[in-house]
Amino acid sequence: MARMRIVRVTGWSIHLPYAEGSYRMAGDRVTTGMDAVVVRVAADDGTIGLGESGTVGVTFDPHHNAGQIAGVAMLAPTVIGCDPRSPQSVHRRMTAALTGHAYVKSPIDIAVWDLAARAAGVPLWKLLGGDGPEVTPLYRPVQGATPEDAVAKTHERLQQGYQRLQVKVGDDPIVDAQRVLAVRAAVGSGVTIFADANCGFSLSAARRFVRELGTDGAGVFLEQPCPTLTDCAHLRDSWSGPMVIDECVTSLAALLEAHQLGIADGITIKLTRVGGITPAITIRDVAVQLGIAVTIEDASGCNLADTTFAHLNASTPARWRTHTVDFDSWVTVHHVDGPSARDGSFLRPQADEPGLGLTLREDVLGEPFIDVTA
Ligand code: 0XW
Ligand code: MG
């Protein structure tokens, strides 16, 4: 088999303003856009791969856009000469060059997987072991200070075609519960609701929140109520409903701990947080073996990120596939050409196009911050 090697790595950083102006998480963490890093990896035969991953401000995960730029610039020369058809080997090379800093490895790792799939002539979902170009339901966050605001936003979300809602909580437990109950009353029992605190509740506030929801818990999935696995586990004495861990899923070890504590009914794997597709599929595959429902998404991006989620979720067995996001609808800047991953209320990967099947719009991306060649 002919040798193939990476001969060029190019990276761009781009700010993606929100179409709705702002995005708010518990604790008054307000952002007006997301920052994405886009990487293109080229092989000596001209095959390319693309990856996008980024940050949503500096108060969500412990990530910083400038740190991701510096890390990608540092790692880019280290992957020159690697065979891109073995993404795990390229990831090991990055880990040998830089301990930790998982989030800076993510866009390079995603680009290498895209390249490997293009080199194999198959869509990424197939390379990752999927049964077909299967769809993943979309959810969209619902914010609003009052129950009335939240209900108005809920109607807008349903109008926009979303059938699953992530109501933001994590501030005042009583008002938060009133908002969730108002949304539940507005949509009836047929719409899936996640109540996402984004780590915002102390243990005592989380206990008050779930008590206010009533005995049936308003039929919601509780997402990352408290900042630590220990506090989420203590909440089990007052919440027997489904719990989903997001921010704490930083590694396979964290998944195993959450499983052991009995709080991982579901997990959310964010590609930037864990370091890209290579670690994400290890965590995902173990979760599936343990019978844990999985969401694969990220903190930031546009259609390139969405398409990556579409392929990864499609390669997750349908029984354990939860839902995901379509960031391209959230933002006003779009830096790839190719079909939208969104298909109504779902994300759907392309059936036959090799890799992710997208091309970059360099006119939108502007000047790269790194461009290294062999
Ligand atoms: C809804 N999200 C995917 C957007 C932000 O990146 C955070 C995340 C969440 O689950 O809160
Ligand atoms: Mg979340």
Side-chain angles (χ1 to χ4, degrees):
M1 186 195 278
R3 201 172 132 65
M4 182 185 253
R5 52 193 198 99
I6 295 172
V7 295
R8 187 174 181 186
V9 180
T10 313
W12 295 262
S13 174
I14 186 159
H15 185 68
L16 307 169
Y18 294 124
E20 295 186 350
S22 66
Y23 176 75
R24 187 186 176 282
M25 285 178 281
D28 275 332
R29 289 172 289 167
V30 181
T31 47
T32 53
M34 306 180 278
D35 290 304
V37 165
V38 178
V39 168
R40 183 182 60 208
V41 173
D44 49 356
D45 71 345
T47 311
I48 60 124
L50 306 176
E52 173 179 35
S53 83
T55 56
V56 54
V58 291
T59 54
F60 177 57
D61 281 331
H63 300 162
H64 192 288
N65 179 239
Q68 194 169 34
I69 292 169
V72 168
M74 188 215 140
L75 288 173
T78 72
V79 304
I80 297 284
C82 290
D83 189 329
R85 294 167 302 180
S86 182
Q88 291 92 338
S89 163
V90 181
H91 203 281
R92 279 194 294 277
R93 176 76 72 95
M94 290 197 282
T95 300
L98 179 67
T99 303
H101 298 273
Y103 76 110
V104 309
K105 295 165 186 159
S106 184
I108 299 176
D109 179 77
I110 296 167
V112 172
W113 274 100
D114 181 25
L115 203 165
R118 292 190 204 216
V122 296
L124 185 59
W125 61 261
K126 189 167 277 194
L127 189 67
L128 295 176
D131 294 321
E134 296 175 359
V135 297
T136 306
L138 288 168
Y139 74 87
R140 186 91 187 240
V142 166
Q143 287 133 324
T146 65
E148 294 72 29
D149 293 340
V151 168
K153 190 50 94 177
T154 292
H155 289 305
E156 193 182 319
R157 295 300 183 224
L158 298 178
Q159 203 73 39
Q160 290 167 329
Y162 299 98
Q163 293 172 358
R164 299 171 71 96
L165 305 171
Q166 184 195 61
V167 179
K168 290 299 189 188
V169 298
D171 289 306
D172 181 316
I174 308 301
V175 178
D176 284 348
Q178 287 166 354
R179 288 165 51 246
V180 170
L181 289 167
V183 171
R184 171 58 77 208
V187 299
S189 58
V191 171
T192 298
I193 300 175
F194 279 52
D196 187 4
N198 287 114
C199 302
F201 285 136
S202 64
L203 179 56
S204 65
R207 284 188 171 125
R208 271 181 291 147
F209 172 71
V210 299
R211 196 181 56 220
E212 286 296 310
L213 289 182
T215 43
D216 67 347
V220 304
F221 290 72
L222 190 56
E223 182 168 336
Q224 192 72 53
C226 303
T228 64
L229 291 177
T230 306
D231 279 353
C232 291
H234 283 311
L235 190 60
R236 267 291 177 229
D237 58 22
S238 19
W239 175 258
S240 58
M243 203 184 301
V244 173
I245 303 299
D246 182 351
E247 279 88 331
C248 285
V249 181
T250 52
S251 64
L252 178 60
L255 162 67
L256 295 175
E257 190 182 345
H259 173 63
Q260 193 135 44
L261 291 168
I263 51 176
D265 298 299
I267 58 162
T268 295
I269 302 172
K270 287 202 165 53
L271 294 173
T272 302
R273 182 187 298 138
V274 300
I277 292 174
T278 300
I281 55 177
T282 302
I283 298 169
R284 186 270 311 270
D285 292 344
V286 172
V288 165
Q289 288 297 316
L290 295 172
I292 294 171
V294 179
T295 291
I296 303 178
E297 58 176 28
D298 212 338
S300 159
C302 71
N303 193 38
L304 179 52
D306 297 348
T307 301
T308 309
F309 313 153
H311 283 260
L312 274 158
N313 283 290
S315 73
T316 303
R319 183 167 173 207
W320 306 112
R321 191 184 310 147
T322 309
H323 59 194
T324 190
V325 283
D326 67 319
F327 283 138
D328 210 51
S329 308
W330 296 33
V331 298
T332 57
V333 172
H334 310 279
H335 55 70
V336 283
D337 278 328
S340 169
R342 183 167 176 188
D343 182 0
S345 314
F346 300 92
L347 282 192
R348 183 193 298 277
Q350 292 185 69
D352 298 312
E353 201 63 33
L356 295 170
L358 298 173
T359 52
L360 283 187
R361 292 192 55 192
E362 289 187 59
D363 57 321
V364 175
L365 288 166
E367 281 300 303
F369 65 82
I370 182 81
D371 190 16
V372 288
T373 51

